[in-house]
Amino acid sequence: GAGVSQSPSNKVTEKGKDVELRCDPISGHTALYWYRQSLGQGLEFLIYFQGNSAPDKSGLPSDRFSAERTGGSVSTLTIQRTQQEDSAVYLCASSFIGGITGELFFGEGSRLTVL
Amino acid sequence: DAKTTQPPSMDCAEGRAANLPCNHSTISGNEYVYWYRQIHSQGPQYIIHGLKNNETNEMASLIITEDRKSSTLILPHATLRDTAVYYCIVVVETSGSRLTFGEGTQLTVNP
């Protein structure tokens, strides 16, 4: 596709369950970012990938959160033992190294609701 | 990265120019000013960026003061579809620049 694709668009889960969120970046974009946005709040940085490595994972809020990227393309954000405070929209963005560095292309997000 | 200050909300009449201010008085010489917007229930969208010169593209104009301590994003003919939260961000433009989003300005364009 032409843009950043995220799935699922909506996920409702029970407290304590694990969830996986997927991001398909724009083809050729080597940089990939995960952010989250809680209701009525600004965007919170989680992790940045350059290729398959994550030089900046300082925004991950706890060890229940992890992310990986394979083949320099698709990324998966995993939240283990979900808590109610994990409820948020999780946004993925990608950018092209060599283009406008600060121009990130965002997906529509995955809305996570933890009951 | 330098901190930015924006008004929490602004209103604009449809068809008129929307001028959104941003204060970044602690900006460093190598930091760029970026503007993004987020329409309700969508991901943020890049609008424009600049270092010290004024910039214009098909979406907007960016006016940066000579001392670079503040800037203004101008939407020349606002439409209802421009209703969104507008974020002003300053960042060192290096590979893998992390963008720090503040609270932004909620712009409401009224008919």
Side-chain angles (χ1 to χ4, degrees):
Chain A
V4 176
S5 177
Q6 292 189 245
S7 61
S9 55
N10 276 286
K11 175 73 175 179
V12 180
T13 190
E14 294 179 347
K15 178 181 172 181
K17 295 287 180 68
D18 298 351
V19 297
E20 284 190 353
L21 307 176
R22 175 189 168 106
C23 173
D24 226 315
I26 293 172
S27 177
H29 281 195
T30 55
L32 186 147
Y33 303 77
W34 283 98
Y35 284 80
R36 76 174 175 181
Q37 187 169 33
S38 301
L39 186 64
Q41 302 296 310
L43 280 81
E44 175 188 5
F45 168 82
L46 298 179
I47 188 169
Y48 155 66
F49 285 92
Q50 177 55 254
N52 291 336
S53 64
D56 188 352
K57 55 179 76 171
S58 61
L60 295 177
S62 76
D63 57 8
R64 296 187 296 105
F65 288 73
S66 62
E68 65 174 14
R69 189 179 185 195
T70 55
S73 180
V74 172
S75 176
T76 302
L77 177 69
T78 301
I79 308 172
Q80 296 178 308
R81 305 180 302 282
T82 52
Q83 304 294 311
Q84 288 182 333
E85 61 262 28
D86 299 335
S87 296
V89 176
Y90 289 81
L91 290 154
C92 176
S94 68
S95 70
F96 170 60
I97 300 300
I100 300 173
T101 307
E103 183 178 8
L104 273 55
F105 295 82
F106 282 84
E108 296 295 299
S110 293
R111 180 178 298 277
L112 174 66
T113 302
V114 182
L115 302 177
Chain B
D1 295 333
K3 179 179 171 56
T4 62
T5 304
Q6 299 178 254
S9 63
M10 292 183 65
D11 284 87
C12 177
E14 188 177 19
R16 303 297 294 270
N19 298 287
L20 293 97
C22 179
N23 182 287
H24 32 79
S25 58
T26 61
I27 193 170
S28 301
N30 62 346
E31 287 183 307
Y32 285 70
V33 180
Y34 277 79
W35 283 83
Y36 276 75
R37 73 179 183 184
Q38 187 173 25
I39 295 170
H40 184 62
S41 297
Q42 297 183 20
Q45 175 191 23
Y46 164 85
I47 301 173
I48 198 167
H49 79 289
L51 181 63
K52 59 177 74 173
N53 297 322
N54 297 337
E55 303 288 345
T56 296
N57 63 20
E58 64 279 4
M59 289 183 68
S61 294
L62 173 61
I63 308 298
I64 303 174
T65 58
E66 192 168 342
D67 63 7
R68 303 209 322 122
K69 293 186 176 182
S70 65
S71 61
T72 301
L73 179 75
I74 301 172
L75 308 178
H77 305 287
T79 71
L80 299 180
R81 289 172 295 183
D82 291 323
T83 292
V85 178
Y86 287 78
Y87 297 98
C88 169
I89 302 163
V90 293
V91 63
V92 176
E93 193 164 276
T94 59
S95 177
S97 300
R98 172 208 292 202
L99 301 183
T100 300
F101 290 79
E103 300 300 315
T105 296
Q106 170 66 61
L107 174 69
T108 302
V109 181
N110 300 304

